[in-house]
Amino acid sequence: MSTLAVFAVGFLMRPLGGIVFGRIADRRGRKFVLVTTMLMMAAGSLVIGLMPTYASIGAWASFIRLLARMAQGFAHGGESATANTYVAEIAPSESRGLWGSIVFVVIFGGSALAYSVGGAVTSVLSDSAVAQWGWRIPFLLGAFLALAALYLRRSTDESEVFSDERSSDGTQPPPRGQVVRAVLLVVAMTSGITAAHYTWTSYVSTYAITRMGMDAGVAYWCSVAAQCIALTTLPLWGRVSDRVGRRPMMLLFAVLMIALQIPLTGLIASPGWTLLVASSVALVVVAIPGALLSATMSESFPTRVRTQAIGFAYSVSVAVFGGTAPYLNQLFVEFGVARFSSLYIMLLCSFTGIACYLMRETRGSI
């Protein structure tokens, strides 16, 4: 429970990072923020990977880890909003759903890589070695990969949509009521998506291990396989949304998740195949809106406030409904009301469906 609480704290910093870096991105440019936030992410991982242990400095170790996690959450709030904006703005309007799916491909890919590293570490090293020093490996690897991503980002070009907006004269600010309504709808729309995503990527393996008695290594690799399967469907969903629109696809996700959440959760038992099947089906469904998020959110806001609006709306939703989902799921299990976990996901997915029904079709705008 304490580990999942620290996991959630990083998400609570995302709205602040989304507001601060979103405003900077809408004034100084997308590239500047993408480079700055990646530096912060690399620094946070490096600090955690090299920090002294609790046995060496006591509670200061916990405090340093918490600060590093908060810094990463702050950076990620701006990074995710800017990345979603940047990809949507450089994409051709007729293929924005397909291009935008790349963002979630990277999210799923990063999650699968994290589980692969976790599975490799726990499979190769003994429990004592993992506890003593092996746990540092994923964080040091993350810092190295962040620096590699930083090198690539430094060579990117600024979004032409942003450059054209900044060079134009006399542009009137968008109506505040229109922006506020769009923000509220995006928060509601992403609530079910993000809760389902983090439940089926970050929690169900823990549930399978601690409650169903599944071997930890088996659970890790089943999660990797399920995420890889879902990853392959993302470009398909993005392309379909370019043909039929964003709203029908979002509504399809809400209906499917509400119908399948309880049966898929109930399928999980001690054999590894149960987790593989349940997670694969659930994550393929989650991939439907995941592929569309970048395009849908970017098309919902004017260029002048696009990044800060996405940064606030998306980060608030992820922090309140996504980052806390693993903790709440475990809390429900601890209190003996595990069924509430599924009901909670279903309730939030109904919010997603209602928000999508109220939203205008955004395909092709910007």
Side-chain angles (χ1 to χ4, degrees), residues 111-125 130 138 215-224:
S111 182
L113 177 60
Y115 270 94
S116 297
V117 173
V121 169
T122 56
S123 298
V124 173
L125 301 178
V130 171
D215 177 77
V218 172
Y220 276 130
W221 291 117
C222 286
S223 295
V224 170

Side-chain angles (χ1 to χ4, degrees), residues 335-351:
F335 279 100
V337 286
R339 179 62 64 89
F340 281 16
S341 298
S342 293
L343 295 178
Y344 175 67
I345 302 300
M346 294 165 65
L347 175 63
L348 294 182
C349 287
S350 69
F351 292 167

Side-chain angles (χ1 to χ4, degrees), residues 21 35-45 68 70-72 74-76:
F21 283 115
V35 170
T36 303
T37 53
M38 188 53 66
L39 272 173
M40 292 183 65
M41 293 291 289
S45 289
M70 291 173 66
Q72 287 186 317
F74 181 76
H76 198 285

Side-chain angles (χ1 to χ4, degrees), residues 22-192:
R23 190 171 182 82
I24 294 173
D26 285 334
R27 292 193 171 190
R28 293 200 55 178
R30 317 319 191 194
K31 178 180 177 179
F32 175 80
V33 170
L34 289 173
V35 170
T36 303
T37 53
M38 188 53 66
L39 272 173
M40 292 183 65
M41 293 291 289
S45 289
L46 188 62
V47 167
I48 296 175
L50 297 178
M51 61 179 286
T53 63
Y54 187 90
S56 301
I57 60 173
W60 282 106
S62 300
F63 183 68
I64 292 172
R65 182 187 176 196
L66 183 62
L67 285 181
R69 176 67 179 154
M70 291 173 66
Q72 287 186 317
F74 181 76
H76 198 285
E79 193 273 345
S80 60
T82 309
N84 279 295
T85 298
Y86 182 77
V87 172
E89 287 181 348
I90 65 173
S93 60
E94 70 275 7
S95 303
R96 190 170 291 122
L98 176 61
W99 281 50
S101 67
I102 296 173
V103 176
F104 230 70
V105 167
V106 174
I107 292 175
F108 266 126
S111 182
L113 177 60
Y115 270 94
S116 297
V117 173
V121 169
T122 56
S123 298
V124 173
L125 301 178
S126 64
D127 291 344
S128 60
V130 171
Q132 291 174 9
W133 58 270
W135 63 270
R136 299 180 184 271
I137 295 176
F139 294 101
L140 295 174
L141 179 60
F144 172 77
L145 292 176
L147 291 175
L150 175 64
Y151 174 78
L152 295 174
R153 288 185 176 187
R154 289 183 62 188
S155 62
T156 59
D157 296 324
E158 185 55 81
S159 159
E160 290 187 9
V161 172
F162 170 77
S163 299
D164 293 344
E165 172 73 15
R166 186 166 59 174
S167 63
S168 62
D169 296 324
T171 303
Q172 295 297 318
R176 180 172 297 181
Q178 173 187 334
V179 174
V180 171
R181 181 179 186 275
V183 165
L184 293 176
L185 288 176
V186 169
V187 170
M189 177 190 73
T190 53
S191 63

